[in-house]
Amino acid sequence: MNAQTRKLLVDGPVGPVEVAVDRPAGPPRGLALVAHPHPLFGGTLDNKVAQTLARAWLQLGFVSVRPNFRGVGQTAGTHDHGIGETDDLLAVLAHFRADIAAQMGVDLPAVPLALAGFSFGAAVAARCAQALQQQGVALQHLTLVGTAVTRFEVPPVSPPGTPSLAETVLVLHGEQDDVVPLAAVLDWARPQQLPVVVFPGAGHFFHGLLLPLRDWVCRWHRAGPG
């Protein structure tokens, strides 16, 4: 993403997971994991939307980590339809959570956590958020962009009457998305009474709108949904 981006290998359930790590200039305010789009359709940690989400969290002062999914780059394994990818994301989070807790001088539960994902990565991020809730791990922020609700089972992230998977949830979608129709995302969000931020004129990959996308994520998570 920039000259300061570091590529590392961390241990995952089936072997090494390649990650790109960006650290803020000052002390970190938390940890953000960003999940890239479908690897069988060219998705990697270098995807422009994934990089944009990473920049947003870096700007917010978080250590930003982008893993490559199974079979991509130097990450071991083969595509596992979101199941193994969720396990890998949880392993990466555990690795960096401990590291950042030491840097911040706090216990593990005090490290603010953010998950973000694009397309297939949004589905995996939602699954990861669900797993964290089941483990009793608090998630502060969840950002889903172009969520692939027509191609994968995406759990509810803010079901009425039960705790949301994160303190703040931001769902962004392009008005003219021709990969995941906006109507399908609205159908997924409606039973949850979950707002969806629609970018007028945007397609699935937010061509020409990456800077506004980054700025919206930053504003939302600085101020909260109110």
Side-chain angles (χ1 to χ4, degrees), residues 38-204:
H38 204 302
L40 300 187
F41 297 93
T44 76
L45 60 79
D46 291 320
N47 170 266
K48 296 298 185 184
V49 176
Q51 289 192 56
T52 297
L53 290 170
R55 286 191 181 96
W57 284 106
L58 184 64
Q59 191 167 310
L60 288 164
F62 281 55
V63 174
S64 183
V65 180
R66 289 170 288 139
N68 260 334
F69 284 137
R70 296 187 177 190
V72 180
Q74 298 184 63
T75 298
T78 57
H79 179 64
D80 196 31
H81 308 285
I83 300 170
E85 288 79 3
T86 300
D87 293 338
D88 289 351
L89 210 62
L90 290 168
V92 170
L93 184 146
H95 174 91
F96 284 97
R97 189 180 179 211
D99 174 56
I100 292 168
Q103 290 182 47
M104 296 176 68
V106 299
D107 294 332
L108 282 182
V111 177
L113 300 177
L115 287 174
F118 169 49
S119 196
F120 170 76
V124 175
R127 291 181 181 187
C128 184
Q130 183 182 55
L132 290 175
Q133 187 180 73
Q134 292 167 352
Q135 294 172 9
V137 177
L139 178 65
Q140 279 66 44
H141 307 288
L142 179 63
T143 304
L144 307 178
V145 179
T147 311
V149 297
T150 57
R151 297 163 181 254
F152 301 94
E153 184 178 347
V154 182
V157 297
S158 186
T162 61
S164 294
L165 298 186
E167 292 178 12
T168 64
V169 178
L170 174 60
V171 179
L172 292 149
H173 212 79
E175 178 192 21
Q176 297 179 3
D177 192 320
D178 59 351
V179 176
V180 182
L182 173 60
V185 173
L186 294 176
D187 288 344
W188 169 77
R190 191 173 297 111
Q192 306 178 58
Q193 300 174 358
L194 179 66
V196 177
V197 177
V198 179
F199 267 58
H204 189 64

